[in-house]
Amino acid sequence: MPAQAWVTLIIGLVATIGVIITWQQKNSADRRSEWFRRTTWAFDRTFSTSDTEAQLGWKVIETLVASRLATRSDSDIVQVIAEQIALGDSDTEYDEEAGNDHSNTEESGPGHS
């Protein structure tokens, strides 16, 4: 086989590999995007006033977190959000933990003892 044929073959193989890698990256990005959209949908259900919808949301989240598309940081974020929802945390609880009880701000301001 002449050298020009080898060069053409090698360039063709490199181009084919490049197309395959690009396709895989796009496919992975599309799948992750869909995972995020589904996770958002599921969290919206968890805030529903209907217990049935809320249960559905939690079950979907459980399934999505178990997916191989979910990264460790995705799982950690979902865990934090779920804990906050389950505990019914509010900003005042964070203030109390930090020792910043703002409930008596007017009474404890400057000039008050």
Side-chain angles (χ1 to χ4, degrees):
M1 212 155 128
Q4 185 178 6
W6 281 107
V7 170
T8 303
L9 179 63
I10 291 171
I11 290 174
L13 287 173
V14 169
T16 301
I17 291 170
V19 167
I20 290 171
I21 290 171
T22 302
W23 175 79
Q24 286 178 333
Q25 288 175 339
K26 182 187 180 316
N27 189 30
S28 176
D30 289 347
R31 291 170 54 106
R32 293 257 316 130
S33 177
E34 184 63 20
W35 180 91
F36 183 77
R37 189 185 68 75
R38 290 176 180 169
T39 303
T40 303
W41 178 89
F43 270 119
D44 286 344
R45 296 289 114 11
T46 64
F47 290 110
S48 173
T49 55
S50 165
D51 287 343
T52 304
E53 273 196 40
Q55 283 181 326
L56 172 64
W58 287 117
K59 286 181 182 180
V60 170
I61 287 170
E62 183 180 339
T63 302
L64 289 168
V65 169
S67 166
R68 58 188 178 94
L69 293 174
T71 64
R72 181 173 175 93
S73 63
D74 291 334
S75 297
D76 291 346
I77 290 168
V78 168
Q79 179 70 30
V80 168
I81 293 170
E83 287 174 1
Q84 296 301 312
I85 292 169
L87 295 174
D89 240 349
S90 67
D91 290 338
T92 57
E93 290 178 22
Y94 289 121
D95 289 340
E96 289 171 5
E97 287 176 10
N100 299 330
D101 185 12
H102 296 295
S103 60
N104 296 325
T105 305
E106 293 177 3
E107 295 176 6
S108 62
H112 295 289
S113 27

